[in-house]
Amino acid sequence: ACEPRDVGRLMATLEAGFAEGRKRSIGLAAPLPQGASPAFRRFDAGDGLADGMAVIAGRSLHRARHRQRAAEAVAGGQRVSLFLFGPTVLYHRVRFDPAGYWEQAGGLFGRSERSDPPLRLTSFRARLAREAARVRVVRGLEENF
């Protein structure tokens, strides 16, 4: 809803806010009070990438079954990445499911990165290997899944 004439004024206030923020000292956050909401519990990310992450993959036609497997694996203490591929060129989307696993879904032949071509002819196995390799470091996937 900004007009072009508003940009200069808004940028000036943004820069002033940045300058003000740089003057402030960084202190420690106040501890949460006893009985804080469960939404503020400490997140235990484990010990880093050493223990890896399980990979579950399947066709989007059977997404309910694969999501159930992922949720069960999370309940069993595993970190999970779920890859769901359909026989389309739909772009991929990634979300973190409330059940505790990462889900990447899209067309087997579709884009997963903006720089990808609109159509990529590939097999299910090759696509899974490509996507797992692409996110390996950020999700802590095991080298051999």
Side-chain angles (χ1 to χ4, degrees):
C2 282
E3 295 279 334
R5 66 178 177 255
D6 297 329
V7 173
R9 178 182 49 81
L10 292 173
M11 290 303 295
T13 59
L14 178 66
E15 292 298 331
F18 285 159
E20 179 66 29
R22 283 190 288 270
K23 292 178 190 174
R24 295 182 181 180
S25 63
I26 298 175
L28 296 175
L32 292 174
Q34 291 294 343
S37 166
F40 292 101
R41 289 184 303 208
R42 181 178 181 274
F43 176 71
D44 184 12
D47 58 358
L49 303 179
D51 54 352
M53 178 177 277
V55 172
I56 297 175
R59 308 281 181 189
S60 58
L61 178 66
H62 305 290
R63 71 176 52 91
R65 180 182 335 145
H66 299 306
R67 286 175 175 160
Q68 180 64 34
R69 285 180 50 215
E72 289 170 358
V74 169
Q78 288 186 288
R79 293 185 300 146
V80 177
S81 275
L82 172 63
F83 295 91
L84 298 172
F85 303 129
T88 68
V89 294
L90 288 174
Y91 292 1
H92 287 220
R93 61 198 180 286
V94 177
R95 70 184 185 100
F96 188 75
D97 191 271
Y101 59 87
W102 287 103
E103 178 182 302
Q104 179 175 330
L108 180 62
F109 311 110
R111 283 184 182 175
S112 58
E113 293 188 294
R114 289 182 183 181
S115 60
D116 286 348
L119 172 67
R120 177 185 298 272
L121 295 177
T122 187
S123 67
F124 186 94
R125 183 180 297 256
R127 185 60 189 254
L128 176 59
R130 177 183 186 267
E131 296 307 318
R134 190 175 64 80
V135 300
R136 181 174 318 288
V137 173
V138 294
R139 293 199 204 149
L141 296 175
E142 305 245 350
E143 189 68 32
N144 298 315
F145 54 87

